[in-house]
Amino acid sequence: MSTTATALHELGAAELVAGYRRGTFSPVEVAQAVLGHIERWEPHLRALYLLRPEKVLEQARASQARWRRAQPLGPIDGVPVTIKDNIATQGDPTPLGTAAVPLLPAAADAPPAARVRESGGMVIAKTTMPDYGMLSSGLSSFHKLARNPWDLRKTPGGSSAGAGAAAAAGYGPLHIGTDIGGSLRLPAGWCGIFTLKPSLGRIPIDPPYMGRAAGPMTRTVADAALFMQVLARPDARDSMSLPPQDIAWDRFDAGPDKLKGLRIGLLLEAGCGLAVEPEVQRAVEAAARLFERAGASITPMKPFMTQAMLDGMDHFWRMRSHVDMKALPPETRARVLPYIRHWADSAEGMGGEAVFRAFSQFHATRVAAVAACNAYDYVISPVSPVPAFDAHLPSPTNDPLRPLEHIGFTVPFNMSEQPAASVNCGYTGSGLPIGLQIAGRRFDDLGVLQVARAWELVRGPQRPWPVPPSEALQHVD
């Protein structure tokens, strides 16, 4: 075997498939390498839920047999995959990150999980998330606290917390998260990985919800493009899914020439929430200069979000959660994180008119985002105004009455249904990654991947991925 077992967990999905096809190594060897790597990292990161090595090896042996017969099930047969807690997998409980949900086995795989199984993907584990996915951190009343592999004192972000940490730490190449206001892009930005929040409905999901999307979380654009071939297949359970479309995901790499002549808007102020920290702004401005050198036209944009839009969405989500929690028995409700309970309970006094006005801000955000982006082919911005914050905090403000002050750049593209990616564009003085958001017009998912790939080619060398701490180091609790 020309590739050593210790390096197998570092290989991308296409490299693994090529190796299986040549017989250079097997899915069983890859499974063993990934499980060994997880064993060194996981006591520090706490990124996984339902890690069952024997089930992983059982899948690996079945994949190995298929490859020996030259009959792989699909483009990711034998490739390690993790799936977020809130994406149902048949027979497994779906706790949604909270101790308040009964641990009942799911009746069926949700669409993204079903597509993975149909294509032979090797499910390593589920990944952790905060209570109900309502935090941008790894804090949970059910899962252990997830941490950022770049700095164990920091959060990986959320709500796809474990997925972001797992991708950065090298728990295999493919990970699936979800996003309703930034839950793919925030952990991707803070963990230095790549993600695509696709156009609404591009990847079917169940249950569907306004603005909710599933997406790939990977170290590279190439792996995300390969994964899109699998995840974007149709599923009738999603009433909001797009019609099936034969998209040439394999043409994700158009090279730096993709940037020539593009009209790119540069958004450096969200118009609401926290101010952009200087290190973040400098990194995004430097990225814009590289885009310009590559032939794109860069135009500064005025902010189009308002605090009223952000507050309206926040207040409506509070009421939704308040109604859900009010239906719980008192002893069950008490298990929810106090921060989430306080946030939801603050909506108790809202009347019908206030709820309607709050809900109307979703449409106002959609209209404003589409109008602001109309003059450009793509829009670049920070993913977050701040780098990764303390792991123990539920949000950057640590204030349940100001919980969403960091999502002003991400949430509008959920409501406008536009594809938006996060890709690393630099590091803080302390070595934390800084995410660049690339948003495209609705349905231009492939174009966003191509621009992100062009950025990978022009951005220069990246820092090495984090490695597990020394076993002599005390585990952080």
Side-chain angles (χ1 to χ4, degrees):
M1 188 171 67
S2 61
T3 305
T4 63
T6 54
L8 289 177
H9 68 272
E10 296 283 348
L11 295 180
E15 294 171 294
L16 290 176
V17 169
Y20 298 156
R21 186 172 287 113
R22 292 191 304 265
T24 310
F25 45 78
S26 72
V28 171
E29 291 170 300
V30 170
Q32 291 168 336
V34 170
L35 289 170
H37 186 66
I38 288 171
E39 187 176 356
R40 293 186 290 275
W41 253 128
E42 187 58 11
H44 306 277
L45 291 187
R46 280 79 178 257
L48 300 183
Y49 168 57
L50 296 181
L51 174 63
R52 295 167 291 200
E54 277 310 309
K55 287 201 171 189
V56 175
L57 291 170
E58 181 183 326
Q59 296 172 78
R61 287 189 287 269
S63 176
Q64 179 172 277
R66 291 191 295 270
W67 279 107
R68 284 176 175 170
R69 298 193 305 268
Q71 294 178 335
L73 289 177
I76 60 166
D77 200 326
V79 177
V81 179
T82 72
I83 300 174
K84 189 176 176 181
D85 161 349
N86 65 346
I87 297 173
T89 47
Q90 186 175 22
D92 297 326
T94 310
L96 305 179
T98 179
V101 168
L103 299 180
L104 304 175
D109 285 332
R115 301 296 86 77
V116 167
R117 306 242 204 233
E118 292 164 4
S119 295
M122 183 163 53
V123 179
I124 298 293
K126 304 295 286 290
T127 49
T128 60
M129 61 181 281
D131 288 49
Y132 299 107
M134 293 310 299
L135 297 177
S136 298
S137 78
L139 189 62
S140 163
S141 62
F142 179 80
H143 301 297
K144 291 180 178 178
L145 178 66
R147 295 178 179 273
N148 192 319
W150 291 92
D151 184 338
L152 295 174
R153 297 167 298 180
K154 303 297 183 181
T155 183
S159 64
S160 303
Y171 288 17
L174 303 180
H175 310 268
I176 311 173
T178 62
D179 188 316
I180 200 170
S183 290
L184 285 164
R185 288 156 290 161
L186 291 165
W190 290 331
C191 290
I193 64 167
F194 177 77
T195 193
L196 172 69
K197 181 210 72 68
S199 299
L200 185 72
R202 178 70 71 207
I203 296 175
I205 194 166
D206 183 34
Y209 192 82
M210 177 178 58
R212 184 175 185 234
M217 302 181 77
T218 61
R219 284 182 169 185
T220 65
V221 176
D223 279 348
L226 176 63
F227 210 7
M228 287 299 291
Q229 295 180 30
V230 172
L231 297 176
R233 293 174 187 164
D235 195 299
R237 289 175 287 174
D238 186 346
S239 59
M240 304 170 82
S241 64
L242 297 175
Q245 187 178 356
D246 186 15
I247 296 173
W249 300 112
D250 59 333
R251 297 183 189 167
F252 73 94
D253 191 348
D257 284 349
K258 170 68 178 178
L259 302 180
K260 289 182 179 177
L262 288 183
R263 299 167 301 163
I264 294 181
L266 173 61
L267 184 66
L268 291 173
E269 293 180 51
C272 57
L274 297 173
V276 177
E277 291 195 3
E279 285 185 304
V280 174
Q281 178 155 335
R282 285 195 294 270
V284 174
E285 288 175 332
R289 288 192 292 272
L290 286 178
F291 274 96
E292 201 162 37
R293 279 185 215 153
S297 172
I298 304 293
T299 303
M301 293 175 64
K302 294 180 179 179
F304 57 86
M305 282 284 289
T306 67
Q307 193 66 42
M309 291 174 187
L310 185 63
D311 289 345
M313 290 185 281
D314 175 18
H315 292 156
F316 179 81
W317 281 329
R318 293 186 202 198
M319 178 55 78
R320 184 190 68 173
S321 295
H322 175 65
V323 170
D324 289 344
M325 289 184 204
K326 198 172 179 182
L328 298 174
E331 65 276 11
T332 302
R333 185 177 172 279
R335 297 177 196 146
V336 178
L337 279 178
Y339 182 98
I340 297 289
R341 292 204 313 267
H342 187 178
W343 171 73
D345 287 348
S346 67
E348 187 170 13
M350 287 181 70
E353 181 178 342
V355 173
F356 171 78
R357 292 187 182 281
F359 182 75
S360 69
Q361 295 303 318
F362 288 91
H363 184 66
T365 300
R366 176 191 182 102
V367 170
V370 171
C373 296
N374 189 50
Y376 309 104
D377 299 308
Y378 301 93
V379 169
I380 61 173
S381 73
V383 169
S384 166
V386 298
F389 52 94
D390 186 273
H392 289 92
L393 297 182
S395 70
T397 62
N398 195 27
D399 182 352
L401 300 184
R402 294 178 58 233
L404 305 182
E405 300 291 289
H406 56 291
I407 70 169
F409 289 107
T410 52
V411 71
F413 299 114
N414 293 80
M415 300 313 136
S416 65
E417 305 182 10
Q418 295 171 246
S422 173
V423 62
N424 195 56
C425 71
Y427 304 87
T428 66
S430 61
L432 294 173
I434 297 171
L436 175 74
Q437 181 171 244
I438 302 171
R441 294 181 179 179
R442 193 177 177 206
F443 312 132
D444 188 22
D445 304 72
L446 180 57
V448 170
L449 285 176
Q450 290 173 332
V451 172
R453 173 55 182 158
W455 167 248
E456 280 186 330
L457 294 171
V458 303
R459 70 181 173 181
Q462 299 293 285
R463 297 186 183 183
W465 292 103
V467 296
S470 166
E471 294 302 323
L473 190 69
Q474 285 285 347
H475 293 166
V476 184
D477 283 307

